Amino acid sequence: MGDAENLPFEEASFDLVTCRFAAHHFPDLKKAVGEIARVLKPGGIFLLVDHYAPEETELDVFVNQLNRLRDPSHVRESSLSEWQDLLTQHGLFYREIMKWDLPIQFQSWVERSGTPYEVREKLVQMLKTASLLCQASFRITFAEDGNPRSFCLKAVLLHGVK
């Protein structure tokens, strides 16, 4: 076991490396991808499932602020172009296998993380005052009482080959 930026394995140790809904918490994503590439054998595969930020700056800023407010361990949801650059820089062929909207039920989302009440109120206000672009892109819905019911995060399955 080790952290993603300093994997305790020899070079070319693995045929497959996976990462599931964790990369947006890595303090140094570039270093982590370098480590993944280092421990992969030639022809080895990297599979990543994670949230990603849309390319549009307004949407990127919104989703990253939303997630960081709820969970301070959130570092950054990278855009797909950032992922492509990172993998390519580290000698990995980049391919998007699948993209989808990941539905999030607001109440469950804040309860799972133990989000304090005052932070929940900030999240509610952030969703209520989201621009029309953010509301449409993240499919923000509201209950009859005006509070957020649900939204979606953008998710992707990426395939990198060394």
Side-chain angles (χ1 to χ4, degrees):
M1 185 112 167
D3 70 60
E5 291 91 0
N6 296 293
L7 295 174
F9 306 108
E10 293 183 25
E11 289 186 26
S13 296
F14 297 98
D15 295 311
L16 175 68
V17 174
T18 64
C19 181
R20 181 183 168 275
F21 293 113
H24 60 273
H25 294 283
F26 295 168
D28 188 341
L29 185 58
K30 184 175 183 175
K31 190 172 179 187
V33 173
E35 281 292 278
I36 290 164
R38 181 185 68 76
V39 302
L40 278 173
K41 293 177 182 176
I45 295 171
F46 171 49
L47 291 175
L48 169 92
V49 175
D50 206 354
H51 314 141
Y52 69 91
E55 298 295 329
E56 173 73 38
T57 302
E58 177 184 349
L59 299 174
D60 180 319
V61 169
F62 178 84
V63 75
N64 276 292
Q65 285 178 344
L66 186 74
N67 279 305
R68 197 172 301 112
L69 182 58
R70 173 190 171 253
D71 179 359
S73 74
H74 174 89
V75 175
R76 175 162 172 69
E77 289 180 14
S78 298
S79 67
L80 296 178
S81 63
E82 289 171 313
W83 274 111
Q84 184 172 15
D85 289 347
L86 275 172
L87 269 62
T88 303
Q89 287 171 17
H90 290 94
L92 300 175
F93 174 79
Y94 172 92
R95 182 167 61 114
E96 295 168 20
I97 295 177
M98 186 173 146
K99 296 187 292 189
W100 67 97
D101 284 344
L102 180 66
I104 304 292
Q105 297 301 314
F106 180 79
Q107 196 61 37
S108 171
W109 184 65
V110 294
E111 286 173 4
R112 280 194 317 267
S113 64
T115 305
Y117 177 79
E118 60 277 1
V119 175
R120 289 181 193 200
E121 288 303 308
K122 289 178 184 177
L123 290 166
V124 166
Q125 286 309 308
M126 191 172 174
L127 290 167
K128 282 183 174 181
T129 60
S131 71
L132 292 177
L133 177 62
C134 289
Q135 288 181 35
S137 296
F138 297 111
R139 297 179 19 207
I140 301 168
T141 66
F142 299 93
E144 290 178 13
D145 66 2
N147 285 310
R149 175 181 292 139
S150 66
F151 63 96
C152 73
L153 295 175
K154 305 300 181 186
V156 67
L157 169 59
L158 295 181
H159 179 250
V161 179
K162 186 170 183 181

